[in-house]
Amino acid sequence: MDIKELYGEILNEHNLNPVHKNNMDSPTCFLDGVNPSCGDKITLQLKIENDKITDASFVGSGCAISQASTDMMADLIIGKSKEEALKLADIFDRMIKDHVSEEELEELDEAAALQNISKMPARVKCAMLGWRTMKEMLGLETK
């Protein structure tokens, strides 16, 4: 199996069987995210205790890329501090727009499956939806 097939399988698995796509009981914060160019929408829900993200979930609808990317992001940020989650969002953003080091790519774990999305410019906003929503939410939290 080549790397493109593996990445396709990872994306497909997170889209068809998302672990974090559900309504959370008593989130400490939540925020709606919308991609007006294609209609993807999510409500991201986080539980934050003592500056740690202890749980993350989302509900919504959209293309496979937006839903899988948000599920992968939720997987990554649980157990992280706000600062660590924002750092991961920065790495993801740079991965989509530019290039990142191999070490940074490893930090993204399965989300690295989206590294070639930049070759499909119309899909970049889809991949960024959950990450952008999380960055906005945590930015509001720290003000």
Side-chain angles (χ1 to χ4, degrees):
M1 173 182 303
D2 74 352
I3 197 79
K4 284 171 104 175
E5 285 179 51
L6 176 63
Y7 285 162
E9 283 187 26
I10 290 169
L11 183 70
N12 204 31
E13 182 62 28
H14 279 277
N15 177 52
L16 295 175
N17 302 302
V19 175
H20 303 286
K21 190 171 185 176
N22 56 65
N23 259 316
M24 179 188 298
D25 290 333
S26 306
T28 54
C29 52
F30 60 92
L31 186 66
D32 294 329
V34 178
N35 179 358
S37 61
C38 70
D40 296 339
K41 46 187 159 176
I42 62 164
T43 299
L44 182 63
Q45 304 163 37
L46 300 179
K47 197 171 284 191
I48 301 173
E49 299 169 0
N50 300 320
D51 196 47
K52 287 265 190 222
I53 299 167
T54 59
D55 201 4
S57 69
F58 70 102
V59 292
S61 60
C63 70
I65 292 171
S66 72
Q67 302 300 290
S69 181
T70 303
D71 193 55
M72 289 183 237
M73 180 206 67
D75 231 13
L76 274 173
I77 65 172
I78 293 172
K80 303 283 193 290
S81 68
K82 293 179 199 176
E83 184 179 303
E84 290 168 324
L86 290 170
K87 178 184 173 211
L88 288 169
D90 176 62
I91 293 169
F92 187 85
D93 189 43
R94 287 186 294 111
M95 176 192 74
I96 295 294
K97 294 178 180 169
D98 306 311
H99 297 286
V100 293
S101 69
E102 282 300 315
E103 293 81 26
E104 289 176 313
L105 205 54
E106 287 176 18
E107 287 186 62
L108 292 178
D109 197 34
E110 289 184 332
L114 294 165
Q115 66 182 316
N116 291 321
I117 208 77
S118 62
K119 294 178 176 129
M120 298 181 284
R123 309 305 270 168
V124 168
K125 287 182 180 178
C126 302
M128 293 297 301
L129 178 60
W131 297 88
R132 184 176 42 83
T133 305
M134 184 262 295
K135 283 172 62 172
E136 186 179 340
M137 182 189 306
L138 294 181
L140 292 172
E141 272 282 299
T142 56
K143 288 182 181 178

